[in-house]
Amino acid sequence: MSAWGTGPAEADRGEAGGIRTALGGLTTRGRSFLAAGIAAAICAYVLGQSDLLRVGLLLAALPLICATVLYRTRYRVAGSRRLSPARVPAGSEARVHLRMDNVSRLPTGLLMLQDRVPYVLGPRPRFVLDRVEPGGRREVSYRVRSDLRGRYPLGPLQLRLTDPFGMCELTRSFSTFDTLTVIPRVDPLSPVRFGGEAKGYGDGRQRSLALAGEDDVIPRGYRYGDDLRRVHWRSTARYGELMVRREEQPRRSRCTVLLDTRGGAYEGAGPDSAFEWAVSGAASVLVHMLERGFSARLLTDSGSAVPGEGADGFAGSGQETADAAGLMMDTLAVIDHSDGTGLSRAYDVLRGGNAGLLIAFLGDLDEEQAATVAKMSRRSGGAVAFVLDPDTWGREAADVPRPGDRHAERLRMLREAGWTALSVPRGASLDALWRQADRERSGLAAVSGEAPV
């Protein structure tokens, strides 16, 4: 939940500009009174009617006085906005709270609020506030919702001031705005235990030992506060000073999530498209792995990663894990199709080190791209691929059936290279696929080319 953000209104520059602004705010009623007053004054001058002249001056002066008073009071209202929350999953609602404070010594007239929001978040909200007492405050709120990922600016807040007679309306804009981040949908995943990971990635025995820490045979000098039970007596006798056994730093299991963003690998657009399913799947796996204590890394086909991400990805516990997940979700909120046609850049990044448990979300693959992906499993402690089936995700699939031989051949190539490759049809459940991948890696179920829905 973000804090209240207060911003002053933009002031007009120069007295002449202020006068033009005030006169430009006259309503139809105010202009009619002004025109009637001027006409009455001219007629009174021509006819020599002093009483009519007084009426004309009154009619003309009333809208001018209202505009002047309204212009003078426009600096004495402060506005602020608060988002709850500032980061929301796609398809969920966020509430925007607006607060107006009357910081003057005089009560305000009728206030009309209008907040600028992108059309994808819904209609532009408008509110009418009655008289606000000196030092008083009014709060209103509205809801926004988007099925599309992205960052959406909210604001600036516009305030329309009117006088009690309806002669003049002035609109002022506040200088501040806020940003609503719509992140991908995150599906909860079952706690599985991927089998066959000889290099110790996942929830296996090697990971438990690494998290517990092991003793290094190289001793170091005693430091104040060291546990005396860790004194290494043989080294103490050898060096003539108190030496202790050095504790190895705990190592974390690593997980790399590869997201294929090639524009030519996916068909369709919108919240129910194949690409959005892949982005949501990558987000779900990243959050799941971070919660289970993994050091997680996000990688795309272009070789890019999350800004600020270390060589081993993000790692942490408690608040650090939440912050790491937030950074990854912010990156996935604005990720879009790349212009690349291959996956060689991602392979070059993985070739430089051990990827740990490699989980890939892939679009349509040709033979060369499938061969590149097949080689990625050599630098991993286990590889799982979710390959979207173009035969079911294509927009024209319902009308023009296409053979699925090529898709089945790509899955076979990946499986022969050591991948646990699963086909993803339209409407597939990620959690069901996740559990099936665990069963196949553990050898508890026969390998099937069809994914559960």
Side-chain angles (χ1 to χ4, degrees):
M1 181 178 295
S2 61
W4 287 100
T6 304
E10 298 179 354
D12 293 322
R13 298 181 179 179
E15 188 65 26
I19 295 176
R20 286 194 298 268
T21 301
L23 294 179
L26 290 176
T27 62
T28 301
R29 180 185 299 176
R31 295 176 186 273
S32 300
F33 268 68
L34 182 60
I38 295 175
I42 294 176
C43 292
Y45 177 76
V46 173
L47 300 176
Q49 297 291 331
S50 58
D51 294 337
L52 182 60
L53 179 62
R54 297 190 187 96
V55 174
L57 292 178
L58 177 62
L59 292 176
L62 182 59
L64 297 178
I65 293 174
C66 291
T68 302
V69 173
L70 195 62
Y71 177 77
R72 294 294 181 182
T73 60
R74 68 191 184 93
Y75 298 102
R76 302 173 183 174
V77 179
S80 54
R81 181 189 300 103
R82 178 170 56 90
L83 304 181
S84 175
R87 183 189 292 124
V88 62
S92 300
E93 291 185 344
R95 184 169 290 275
V96 183
H97 302 267
L98 302 178
R99 187 176 73 188
M100 302 303 301
D101 295 276
N102 182 14
V103 296
S104 67
R105 298 180 180 178
L106 298 175
T108 67
L110 191 66
L111 302 179
M112 286 180 284
L113 296 180
Q114 178 176 275
D115 206 7
R116 292 184 180 179
V117 299
Y119 72 93
V120 71
L121 296 182
R124 181 172 295 182
R126 294 180 176 89
F127 304 94
V128 178
L129 302 181
D130 205 350
R131 176 181 178 275
V132 182
E133 65 279 3
R137 173 188 302 171
R138 296 291 185 272
E139 295 185 13
V140 293
S141 64
Y142 64 93
R143 294 177 295 180
V144 291
R145 180 182 183 274
S146 174
D147 292 328
L148 298 175
R149 299 175 293 109
R151 288 196 181 101
Y152 301 101
L154 299 178
L157 180 66
Q158 290 183 333
L159 175 65
R160 181 176 296 177
L161 306 174
T162 61
D163 65 279
F165 301 101
M167 298 289 178
C168 183
E169 290 183 356
L170 290 181
T171 301
R172 56 178 291 199
S173 295
F174 292 84
S175 58
T176 59
F177 65 93
D178 294 278
T179 301
L180 176 67
T181 303
V182 180
I183 63 175
R185 288 188 293 266
V186 176
D187 298 324
L189 299 179
S190 302
V192 299
R193 182 171 182 171
F194 287 115
E197 297 169 12
K199 296 183 181 180
Y201 298 94
D203 290 331
R205 175 178 175 271
Q206 182 67 26
R207 176 177 181 270
S208 300
L209 291 176
L211 291 177
E214 298 173 355
D215 294 337
D216 196 331
V217 296
I218 302 177
R220 62 169 176 81
Y222 175 81
R223 298 172 186 172
Y224 179 78
D226 286 338
D227 190 350
L228 293 178
R229 290 175 296 181
R230 303 196 63 81
V231 173
H232 196 268
W233 297 108
R234 183 179 302 176
S235 298
T236 299
R238 178 180 178 182
Y239 293 102
E241 60 176 321
L242 200 59
M243 306 292 290
V244 296
R245 292 172 293 177
R246 183 168 52 188
E247 293 184 355
E248 185 186 54
Q249 293 294 330
R251 295 172 295 177
R252 281 183 175 269
S253 296
R254 300 169 59 184
C255 174
T256 300
V257 176
L258 173 62
L259 176 61
D260 182 8
T261 63
R262 295 173 297 123
Y266 302 93
E267 294 187 20
D272 296 327
S273 63
F275 181 66
E276 293 302 320
W277 191 98
V279 173
S280 177
S284 303
V285 172
L286 286 169
V287 172
H288 178 77
M289 289 302 183
L290 284 173
E291 290 177 349
R292 296 188 65 81
F294 279 71
S295 175
R297 176 174 62 164
L298 173 64
L299 182 66
T300 65
D301 57 286
S302 60
S304 61
V306 180
E309 187 179 71
D312 294 336
F314 286 104
S317 58
Q319 185 60 37
E320 294 180 359
T321 299
D323 295 340
L327 289 174
M328 290 185 173
M329 293 303 104
D330 290 343
T331 300
L332 290 174
V334 295
I335 200 167
D336 203 354
H337 291 294
S338 66
D339 297 329
T341 57
L343 297 161
S344 57
R345 292 184 179 178
Y347 173 68
D348 292 338
V349 174
L350 294 174
R351 188 170 54 179
N354 198 314
L357 176 62
L358 178 59
I359 301 176
F361 291 86
L362 306 171
D364 192 16
L365 303 172
D366 59 23
E367 186 174 358
E368 180 181 356
Q369 295 159 358
T372 302
V373 175
K375 293 186 294 184
M376 294 180 182
S377 62
R378 303 172 186 173
R379 302 298 301 174
S380 67
V384 180
F386 299 96
V387 187
L388 280 77
D389 184 3
D391 298 336
T392 60
W393 286 97
R395 286 175 294 182
E396 70 278 8
D399 301 326
V400 184
R402 295 173 294 178
D405 295 342
R406 193 181 72 166
H407 179 64
E409 177 64 19
R410 304 297 179 258
L411 293 176
R412 186 189 62 80
M413 291 179 59
L414 297 183
R415 289 164 181 162
E416 290 179 352
W419 284 83
T420 301
L422 283 78
S423 177
V424 182
R426 176 182 288 274
S429 168
L430 177 60
D431 185 56
L433 293 169
W434 184 254
R435 287 183 276 109
Q436 180 182 350
D438 175 53
R439 291 194 302 268
E440 293 191 8
R441 288 190 56 82
S442 302
L444 299 179
V447 176
S448 174
E450 298 181 355
V453 179

